[in-house]
Amino acid sequence: MLFRSSLIQNPEDLKNVESLRDMQPGSPVRSHDLKPAFLVKRGQLVLVSMGEGRGFLVTVRAESQQDGRLGELIRLKNPESGRLLSAMVTGPNSAKGI
């Protein structure tokens, strides 16, 4: 029996996800065929924005210390100062400092 509610019908639902299995062209995509994709990978340089909405905006590049999916809190390291910071993943190779 096919449950229509699990079929992905809106292309927007395919953003920031990856497939759990190989799929044939033209085959239906179901929600259980997908998982959230890592948008930040350990060792990558990430553009981190801080201070937005507080009257200033600072952006720095920091090295990710772990993988992260959209909305996850990750640890990063400023390569110049060596300081560690935490930020929330907001997109591919980008995060917002907390």
Side-chain angles (χ1 to χ4, degrees):
M1 180 174 191
L2 178 67
F3 292 98
R4 292 189 135 294
S5 63
S6 68
L7 289 175
I8 302 295
Q9 296 180 6
N10 184 349
E12 287 292 312
D13 294 339
L14 298 174
K15 283 186 175 180
N16 303 319
V17 296
E18 59 187 54
S19 175
L20 291 170
R21 64 178 179 87
D22 290 336
M23 291 188 268
Q24 297 298 318
S27 65
V29 179
R30 295 180 175 83
S31 58
H32 64 267
D33 294 327
L34 307 170
K35 71 175 182 176
F38 286 110
L39 300 181
V40 171
K41 304 243 171 137
R42 182 180 181 168
Q44 284 183 326
L45 286 180
V46 176
L47 189 61
V48 183
S49 301
M50 295 176 273
E52 189 173 2
R54 297 183 204 156
F56 67 96
L57 179 63
V58 175
T59 56
V60 296
R61 291 214 180 267
E63 181 182 340
S64 176
Q65 302 297 294
Q66 64 190 101
D67 296 337
R69 294 181 172 99
L70 185 66
E72 289 184 338
L73 196 61
I74 59 170
R75 290 183 320 273
L76 301 116
K77 182 178 181 181
N78 183 322
E80 292 179 20
S81 68
R83 289 190 154 188
L84 294 174
L85 60 129
S86 295
M88 182 180 298
V89 176
T90 57
N93 299 324
S94 64
K96 183 177 180 180
I98 57 167

